[in-house]
Amino acid sequence: MDPRRELPSVDRLLRTVAAESLIERWGRPAVVEAIRGSIAVARSGEEGESGSDAEDLLDRARSLLVEWARPALLGVLNGSGVVLHTNLGRAPLASEALEAVSRVARGYSNLEYDLDGGGRGDRYVHCVDLITALTGSEDALVVNNNAAAVALVVNELAGGRDVVVSRGELVEIGGSFRIPDIVTRAGGYLVEVGTTNRTRLEDYRRVLTPSTGMLLKVHPSNYRLMGFTEEVCLSDLVTLARDAGVPVVHDLGSGQLLPGIAAGLPDDPGPRESVELGAHIVTWSGDKLLGGPQAGIIHGSAELVGRLRSNPLLRALRVDKMTLAALEATLRLYRDPERVAEHLPALRMLSEGAGDVLERAEAARKHLPPAHCDLVEVGRMISVVGGGAMPGAEIPSGGWRVSRVSPHRLDGACRESDPPLVGRIEESAFLVDFRTILPGQEEEVARAVSSALEVVSASGGDAG
């Protein structure tokens, strides 16, 4: 006889003591679904003739319940050495920002309520004063990311008109989003000037017509042109635009609010410098070098920002209370520029000395079992900023190097740990860069690497 004909029914399994325990924890509807799924697997024969008695079926159902309860969005240990890792959520938030989010998320807030007047308020007032004070702008606005900021600006200031951009600044950002696509989808007509490596002021002047809506200068966030190059500085572009009666929009991309905040890294002109040089509108990201939540920050002329605030698209691009709370708390930290790096994890990681990183990596080895400790070497390595910020900038760092084990198997096993550990493979070795390991995570990193080494050894991988 086919043993699958003898499979117990769902009702019979639900009457067992083991099922009652599952129901108490997960609820009856979820347990019923899991048992049905377990029986379906046994009936399909995917696991052969084994795993078809009541105990096996309930064990499989329990595994399904655990799997279903695991969230899709997980916290991970970042051992990649990429500080602003786009795929890992970019900048970790400061504790002050986390507290602010918790405060407004656990109950009601004055998101759009005027406490003084007792009527409807404006959600965008919560960060305006801080942004204008820190950048020297007349007014400010916040949307859900910098691509949205650029799209909104183009739609309002140059919808149906020409947007003039240097060919050397037609960048593609993460996820295949390209400046030309954003401009055209936002309703502007892209006008390219110059060449990939050289653009002069005369190139801009030559295309100016009554149909010109704006001059757009884009920071080449994720690449650098070297050698035979030339570009038009922002101040010259502003002078040309003033004579032509059109606005200049400066898309900074990452946006380094305080120059010199990260020791040893290049000082790109920041938002305040763009305003001082005359840019009418400046846009940049909140979750990169600022160290805050994902957001698109817009500031500049009060007249132009006022127009943006009235654009119908703003409602589709608006930010929620938690983003505003985190952004406001992050911006407040910049009121004390000498101590801001102590509070913001991303800036702290960028400014930490290589010697200190190596010391943390060496101290963390004590959490490894002796057998695995012998497989893990502490050495120097190179970190990067990431997030499309400061391409080519290398930061001396340090961490763990495991070279006597299959790096690809170890990498996969570490990503399956709880929490997952993301490292990198370099020169036939698996690396865990401690620059991006947050203080207090050392024991979790050791547990993830140790468990992964056991998995690799059990599967027949080289282990010393």
Side-chain angles (χ1 to χ4, degrees):
M1 289 182 59
D2 189 337
R4 290 175 291 183
R5 295 182 179 274
E6 302 299 322
L7 289 171
S9 67
V10 174
D11 288 340
R12 175 184 163 189
L13 291 173
L14 287 172
R15 290 194 295 269
T16 62
V17 174
E20 290 177 0
S21 177
L22 295 178
I23 292 171
E24 184 177 348
R25 179 177 179 184
W26 307 101
R28 185 180 178 86
V31 173
V32 170
E33 185 178 355
I35 289 176
R36 285 174 177 165
S38 178
I39 292 174
V41 170
R43 184 173 290 118
S44 68
E46 294 178 9
E47 298 189 7
E49 296 183 2
S50 62
S52 59
D53 61 20
E55 184 177 354
D56 291 333
L57 291 170
L58 288 169
D59 283 343
R60 191 184 297 118
R62 183 182 294 103
S63 298
L64 287 173
L65 289 165
V66 171
E67 180 182 342
W68 294 344
R70 190 185 192 200
L73 185 60
L74 300 171
V76 304
L77 303 169
N78 180 11
S80 70
V82 182
V83 177
L84 301 174
H85 200 308
T86 298
N87 304 129
L88 301 184
R90 291 184 180 164
L93 294 179
S95 59
E96 292 84 351
L98 295 173
E99 291 169 6
V101 170
S102 177
R103 185 169 57 250
V104 302
R106 69 168 63 100
Y108 296 102
S109 68
N110 63 328
L111 176 64
E112 289 187 355
Y113 187 80
D114 183 356
L115 292 172
D116 293 328
R120 186 180 180 89
D122 182 358
R123 71 174 59 207
Y124 299 104
V125 302
H126 302 290
C127 290
V128 169
D129 290 345
L130 283 166
I131 296 173
T132 55
L134 291 168
T135 64
S137 296
E138 296 176 356
D139 199 359
L141 188 62
V142 180
V143 291
N144 55 17
N145 63 23
N146 191 46
V150 174
L152 179 65
V153 171
V154 170
N155 182 264
E156 178 58 38
L157 305 186
R161 305 181 70 190
D162 294 343
V163 178
V164 184
V165 190
S166 167
R167 286 189 173 92
E169 298 173 0
L170 296 176
V171 301
E172 176 180 314
I173 57 180
S176 300
F177 290 99
R178 300 175 173 181
I179 286 293
D181 296 337
I182 293 173
V183 168
T184 55
R185 291 288 182 143
Y189 295 107
L190 182 68
V191 177
E192 305 174 18
V193 296
T195 63
T196 301
N197 59 319
R198 306 200 82 184
T199 301
R200 303 178 179 87
L201 189 62
E202 184 58 32
D203 295 322
Y204 288 93
R205 182 180 288 113
R206 191 179 299 118
V207 300
L208 291 176
T209 72
S211 296
T212 302
M214 58 186 272
L215 306 184
L216 175 61
K217 186 168 183 60
V218 181
H219 187 284
S221 300
N222 51 9
Y223 75 98
R224 283 284 187 270
L225 287 177
M226 301 177 65
F228 191 59
T229 63
E230 184 178 351
E231 68 172 307
V232 179
C233 67
L234 181 60
S235 58
D236 288 345
L237 208 57
V238 168
T239 300
L240 176 64
R242 185 185 303 117
D243 295 339
V246 296
V248 172
V249 176
H250 195 188
D251 172 16
L252 281 174
S254 182
Q256 189 175 355
L257 189 55
L258 292 179
I261 199 66
L265 295 176
D267 285 338
D268 285 339
R272 178 174 283 276
E273 288 75 18
S274 294
V275 173
E276 291 174 349
L277 291 172
H280 300 89
I281 290 291
V282 183
T283 70
W284 44 292
S285 296
D287 58 342
K288 294 184 180 179
L289 286 175
L290 182 70
Q294 176 182 297
I297 300 172
I298 308 170
H299 56 90
S301 158
E303 177 195 353
L304 298 183
V305 173
R307 287 175 55 183
L308 298 174
R309 194 175 278 111
S310 300
N311 190 298
L313 278 179
L314 181 60
R315 185 172 182 84
L317 306 176
R318 70 181 184 177
V319 289
D320 70 348
K321 60 184 179 183
M322 292 179 284
T323 298
L324 287 169
L327 180 60
E328 181 182 14
T330 301
L331 291 168
R332 287 188 186 280
L333 295 173
Y334 280 86
R335 287 178 164 178
D336 186 357
E338 294 183 358
R339 298 182 58 193
V340 64
E342 300 174 13
H343 295 270
L344 290 170
L347 296 188
R348 186 171 61 243
M349 284 187 273
L350 289 172
S351 59
E352 185 178 13
D356 294 332
V357 179
L358 281 165
E359 286 182 9
R360 289 201 294 116
E362 182 63 52
R365 290 177 78 241
K366 68 181 181 181
H367 298 297
L368 289 167
H372 293 161
C373 193
D374 293 339
L375 297 173
V376 177
E377 301 175 355
V378 175
R380 297 184 179 275
M381 51 193 65
I382 296 295
S383 302
V384 296
V385 179
M390 301 180 180
E394 296 183 343
I395 313 172
S397 187
W400 290 355
R401 180 184 180 90
V402 187
S403 57
R404 288 182 285 167
V405 174
S406 168
H408 294 283
R409 289 187 181 181
L410 186 58
D411 177 47
C414 282
R415 286 186 278 108
E416 292 178 357
S417 64
D418 184 18
L421 169 63
V422 178
R424 72 177 190 263
I425 297 174
E426 190 175 286
E427 297 179 352
S428 301
F430 178 73
L431 273 57
V432 180
D433 191 324
F434 267 71
R435 177 170 297 280
T436 47
I437 297 299
L438 298 173
Q441 293 182 334
E442 294 84 359
E443 193 168 349
E444 289 181 308
V445 171
R447 187 163 55 248
V449 171
S450 181
S451 297
L453 286 169
E454 291 178 0
V455 169
V456 172
S457 178
S459 65
D462 296 332

